Amino acid sequence: DGGITQSPKYLFRKEGQNVTLSCEQNLNHDAMYWYRQDPGQGLRLIYYSQIVNDFQKGDIAEGYSVSREKKESFPLTVTSAQKNPTAFYLCASSIAGDEQYFGPGTRLTVT
Amino acid sequence: GENVEQHPSTLSVQEGDSAVIKCTYSDSASNYFPWYKQELGKRPQLIIDIRSNVGEKKDQRIAVTLNKTAKHFSLHITETQPEDSAVYFCAASLGYSSASKIIFGSGTRLSIRP
């Protein structure tokens, strides 16, 4: 499955709780990305990281946080500040600017 | 900033006919243009890509053309089959730049009519 994994596949949380989504890759890629996808919509960039210990905000970073302590891992935390967190979250990795390999996604439902 | 526009948003074609999806980009420095296919509930997967040093690339029933002057690139699917039904995303990036990210178009939902 392309060497990039996300867990869990489905996640349910109560409103007001923070939740962390896992993303791990063994492709030795420097760059990693987080996207949000709403039903019938495109891919919106949340955060991306080109190198360990560095990351940049994407187009919709408000209410989200990330860390990049290891090359293989790029976890995303959805905080209680995110007003509408229910969505399909996709993680990807690449050699910077080249083909992106996507994980299988995490479907988050917040009620 | 960089912007990628994709048209049409939905496309329905008869099985066996051809389908064409078009994209335009704003940053003339973009030099890498991938196309992704996403089936319902699945992850996007690369189906073909092109770099700015070529004008056309073909892989069996799929082809991509690039017009750098017009900042326009297109996906062509010939002899469409039911399994081609999916959402297709175009994208553009600055390629091997240390600060680059891929900008995606808004997607085209392709339906193949039997």
Side-chain angles (χ1 to χ4, degrees), chain A residues 21-39:
Chain A
L21 282 59
S22 168
C23 178
E24 304 278 334
Q25 54 98 3
N26 62 3
L27 300 168
N28 199 34
H29 287 166
D30 286 317
M32 296 188 74
Y33 309 80
W34 273 105
Y35 295 92
R36 169 180 173 142
Q37 189 173 37
D38 293 287

Side-chain angles (χ1 to χ4, degrees), chain B residues 59-84:
Chain B
D59 182 4
Q60 299 182 347
R61 296 186 297 109
I62 294 173
V64 57
T65 59
L66 172 65
N67 183 329
K68 289 170 57 181
T69 302
K71 292 189 284 187
H72 169 275
F73 58 114
S74 301
L75 178 72
H76 303 252
I77 306 174
T78 59
E79 300 173 14
T80 53
Q81 300 171 3
E83 54 264 37
D84 295 330

Side-chain angles (χ1 to χ4, degrees), chain A residues 35-93:
Chain A
Y35 295 92
R36 169 180 173 142
Q37 189 173 37
D38 293 287
Q41 302 297 312
L43 302 166
R44 292 191 289 169
L45 183 64
I46 305 172
Y47 270 98
Y48 65 107
S49 168
Q50 301 289 345
I51 196 169
V52 174
N53 292 321
D54 188 40
F55 48 82
Q56 288 78 42
K57 292 182 179 180
D59 302 317
I60 56 164
E62 186 175 349
Y64 300 97
S65 65
V66 293
S67 63
R68 187 84 187 278
E69 297 177 0
K70 299 187 300 182
K71 188 175 186 178
E72 303 79 17
S73 179
F74 191 40
L76 173 74
T77 297
V78 184
T79 75
S80 57
Q82 169 50 235
K83 298 303 181 189
N84 187 17
T86 295
F88 186 48
Y89 290 88
L90 285 159
C91 178
S93 71

Side-chain angles (χ1 to χ4, degrees), chain A residues 12-19 80 85 108-111:
Chain A
F12 298 89
R13 281 293 183 268
K14 294 291 186 182
E15 194 173 316
Q17 293 179 335
N18 291 355
V19 59
S80 57
L108 173 65
T109 301
V110 177
T111 57

Side-chain angles (χ1 to χ4, degrees), chain B:
Chain B
E2 169 74 287
N3 184 48
V4 175
E5 293 191 0
Q6 182 172 348
H7 299 282
S9 58
T10 59
L11 180 60
S12 178
V13 301
Q14 193 74 34
E15 183 178 350
D17 288 350
S18 296
V20 180
I21 303 170
K22 299 181 179 181
C23 291
T24 58
Y25 60 98
S26 60
D27 190 340
S28 57
S30 295
N31 57 20
Y32 175 63
F33 306 92
W35 286 87
Y36 289 84
K37 175 183 180 182
Q38 186 180 27
E39 297 177 353
L40 189 63
K42 301 287 184 64
R43 73 185 86 186
Q45 293 194 301
L46 182 76
I47 54 171
I48 195 168
D49 56 10
I50 191 168
R51 297 192 184 275
S52 59
N53 57 346
V54 298
E56 183 174 0
K57 184 175 179 181
K58 189 173 182 180
D59 182 4
Q60 299 182 347
R61 296 186 297 109
I62 294 173
V64 57
T65 59
L66 172 65
N67 183 329
K68 289 170 57 181
T69 302
K71 292 189 284 187
H72 169 275
F73 58 114
S74 301
L75 178 72
H76 303 252
I77 306 174
T78 59
E79 300 173 14
T80 53
Q81 300 171 3
E83 54 264 37
D84 295 330
S85 293
V87 178
Y88 292 81
F89 294 98
C90 63
S93 85
L94 298 177
Y96 298 111
S97 163
S98 62
S100 72
K101 57 183 179 180
I102 288 182
I103 307 299
F104 285 89
S106 54
T108 296
R109 183 174 300 278
L110 175 62
S111 300
I112 308 301
R113 303 191 303 271

